[in-house]
Amino acid sequence: MKSGFAIGAAVLAIGGAAVPVPVVAQQPARTVQQDFEAATALSEKPESRAAALAAWQALETRTKAGTRSHAIVQVRKGSILFRLHRYDEAIAALRAGLAGLPARDASLAEDRVMAQLELGAIAVETLDYAGAASTYAAAEAAATAPGEKLGAQLSLVHVQTFVDPAAARATMGRIDALAARTKLASDARGLIEQRRAELQMNTNDLPAAKASAIRAVSAMGGLTERTSIGDVGARSDAAIALLLTGNREEARRYMAMTGAGRLPKGRFNIAQQLAAPDCGGEAGLKPDDMAVVQFSIAEDGSTQSVTPIYSSGGGKVALAFAQAVRDWSWPVEDVAALPTFFRYNARVEMRCSTAFPRPAISDSFDQALAAWLTEKGAPVTLVADGSDALALPAQRAALATAEARDPKSLAVLAALITLANNRVVPREERSSLYERGLAIAEANAVPPLPRLALELPAAAYRSADDRKDQFQRAVTPLLNKPFYADDPQARAALRLALVDHVDSKRASANRDREIILRQVVDDAALAKDDPLKVGALVRLASLQIEAGKPDAARSAFAMTGLNAQQCAVLDARPRMVSTPGAEAFPQEAQAWGFEGWTQVQYDIGADGRTSEPRTLLSYPPFIFSQAASDFMGRARFAKTYRPDGGLGCGGNVQRISFQIPGK
């Protein structure tokens, strides 16, 4: 029996032929220690992090909860999750592991310090500097090796600079004591001086900050052509300290040696989603407050590693500015064209905005569509909170899910609109989204005014390079379609859109605008206080004052029922009629080979002259700030009507790029 079974297992008779069956030897079971060593080896290779995570997760099931081994595995798993940017999971694993590590086991000091440092780094990434200070202090206390202790102290002093400067000074004292008895590399000593300089700058000890910053640059090798990430930070700190102490030319020399604004090829384009924080708020930001914030750009176009470097208003102000940068986004194609080195640790000069909301005519279409979709059970997000780049994957997934259920549903339309409003979506894709959305809107009988939220952007994207004549040719026929022409608000909205796209270079431009505006004003089907009619009257009053007809302007404005403060909210921004030329490019920046970008806020008087120009954002810091303000100070706009002759248009924001021709 035994022998017959063995033979039967060894061969099978198929068609009279005996076919051998392979016999696989049983592999000896791997020990937990062997798997631990394999997971450790995978963890050391950035390209193997996913495999390392799987290895640690497998080990977690093989070790008994509550044991030393289980706690070590949780810490190591948390470390990999941290490197994969899965921060919530990392926090849970690291904290669980720390809680399970035997407190008196000195051999686990390295794991304990690593876990605390990574928890601190996660807190820093979310700008929770108070939480980071607590975990970095725990890491310093747990560290036994001088290198580990110094690393914890340098991380600690940075966050304390912005939440507890007095504690930061005490930490600097411990750093100096450790450095005095330890042999350190020159780069490490340079980093110590850099942290000292940042603390001194942020506590207004500017002469000392300048000396410390210059020592940091010197320790890292001086102003040589060699430029590492560490060199960039130290030289930039020196530039800030020199500028704050009145050494402008020397500051530019140090800034030039950071490489910022001097790419070997291509350009560091301004972000697609970018805004300065509003003045006021919980941090009490003031118009005179200024900050320098450092950030890196991830491959998906979002910002990461955002951290304040300097603020004239203290740590709370610095963190508020940094929080605004966390929501910036670049298109993926811009990031791909940017040399990798320049994506890391870029710095920008920042001020807060005093602008007030200025809803555009198109906002009424968007809101009408959002309200209609919500009523139909398909809510839409017109503006997502936070970073558009980070929101993009989830928005694409939501669209795919909705399409899988019903490709012509209102849920798909809502997902299309949400995605189309994402500012990092490429132009071609956005054009396709609006066209697809328009087809779904037609199939689902979306009413005229809400449908314009799709119709007008689709027409604009069909117009090559946003040419105004092409936009007019695309939109004018819509007024002849009964669907829009029979709806008072829709036809008024279309006419205002046409007014705002009249080519100013045409001799008959203002006459054409007046004809269209009067069609809106004289439309008896529109209520006197309809926002579209009011918007037409405000525009008409400005045209009349530009034509030298003050009485007609006064009459048109009186029909709006608005006061001087309200009118700017409903008016279109005045047309820019002249700007400075190439002389606006600062000579010293051109001499050093700097390029960059800015965002400027300014007011426009009723006479078309600008006032109160303020540079809100400037890259690289301090290079183009004054030039950008001067540029907008000399720009001129078309005249607008205001009953008191005062402010024509307040709180405008303009982006300006400074580029060297032929580069």
Side-chain angles (χ1 to χ4, degrees), residues 295-524:
F295 61 93
S296 298
I297 306 175
E299 291 182 356
D300 64 3
S302 65
T303 55
Q304 60 185 18
S305 303
V306 180
T307 181
I309 299 299
Y310 166 74
S311 170
S312 61
K316 192 173 183 180
V317 166
L319 289 167
F321 278 108
Q323 189 65 50
V325 177
R326 292 189 72 214
D327 291 339
W328 293 1
S329 299
W330 277 257
V332 171
E333 56 270 26
D334 282 5
V335 177
L338 189 64
T340 303
F341 180 83
F342 292 91
R343 288 199 287 113
Y344 295 107
N345 294 358
R347 293 186 176 188
V348 64
E349 174 188 356
M350 304 182 69
R351 291 174 181 80
C352 65
S353 171
T354 58
F356 53 84
R358 293 179 54 81
I361 290 296
S362 60
D363 290 348
S364 61
F365 318 149
D366 294 338
Q367 290 161 5
L369 179 58
W372 188 86
L373 284 169
T374 299
E375 182 182 329
K376 298 296 182 179
V380 62
T381 303
L382 293 177
V383 180
D385 292 333
S387 166
D388 279 6
L390 291 177
L392 190 58
Q395 290 171 354
R396 291 194 192 283
L399 175 58
T401 299
E403 287 176 325
R405 292 172 180 164
D406 182 353
K408 296 181 180 180
S409 68
L410 291 179
V412 171
L413 178 57
L416 285 168
I417 294 302
T418 298
L419 190 56
N421 281 320
N422 188 303
R423 285 158 286 191
V424 299
V425 170
R427 176 189 174 90
E428 295 78 9
E429 182 182 357
R430 188 176 289 114
S431 175
S432 173
L433 292 169
Y434 280 119
E435 294 288 358
R436 291 169 58 196
L438 189 56
I440 295 173
E442 291 172 351
N444 286 274
V446 174
L449 189 65
R451 197 180 300 184
L452 285 178
L454 302 160
E455 189 86 71
L456 288 177
Y461 282 114
R462 290 184 211 120
S463 307
D465 300 321
D466 292 328
R467 284 181 53 183
K468 293 184 176 181
D469 57 340
Q470 293 190 12
F471 180 85
Q472 287 194 314
R473 283 198 295 270
V475 171
T476 300
L478 298 178
L479 282 168
N480 298 322
K481 295 176 65 173
F483 179 75
Y484 292 118
D486 293 346
D487 184 282
Q489 286 194 312
R491 63 181 179 247
L494 282 168
R495 284 168 175 152
L496 285 180
L498 287 170
V499 166
D500 292 344
H501 282 80
V502 169
D503 188 350
S504 299
K505 296 178 181 178
R506 285 164 41 190
S508 62
N510 280 356
R511 185 189 66 196
D512 295 343
R513 291 187 181 102
E514 183 172 351
I515 291 172
I516 300 171
L517 287 171
R518 288 199 180 278
Q519 290 174 331
V520 180
V521 171
D522 296 339
D523 192 336

Side-chain angles (χ1 to χ4, degrees), residues 563-596:
N563 60 39
Q565 287 70 43
Q566 293 172 309
C567 62
V569 176
L570 290 168
D571 197 4
R573 191 179 75 169
R575 302 182 310 280
M576 185 181 287
V577 296
S578 68
T579 61
E583 72 276 6
F585 202 111
Q587 291 184 353
E588 58 269 29
Q590 190 165 5
W592 283 107
F594 283 115
E595 292 188 321

Side-chain angles (χ1 to χ4, degrees), residues 49-67:
R49 285 172 181 164
L53 176 59
W56 290 119
Q57 289 171 329
L59 273 169
E60 193 173 16
T61 65
R62 295 185 63 193
T63 52
K64 185 178 179 181
T67 64

Side-chain angles (χ1 to χ4, degrees), residues 134-208:
S134 175
T135 54
Y136 284 146
E140 179 189 4
T144 55
E148 291 177 355
K149 190 169 286 290
L150 179 61
Q153 290 171 336
L154 288 170
S155 297
L156 178 60
V157 77
H158 169 69
V159 296
Q160 286 176 330
T161 293
F162 298 99
V163 295
D164 191 348
R169 282 189 283 268
T171 302
M172 278 305 314
R174 298 195 300 277
I175 289 173
D176 289 337
L178 178 60
R181 62 178 185 268
T182 307
K183 185 177 181 180
L184 299 175
S186 57
D187 282 358
R189 293 194 178 277
L191 184 56
I192 291 172
E193 292 304 316
Q194 186 181 346
R195 290 286 180 264
R196 191 191 318 278
E198 290 171 359
L199 172 59
Q200 291 165 335
M201 280 193 294
N202 283 283
T203 53
N204 207 35
D205 190 359
L206 300 182

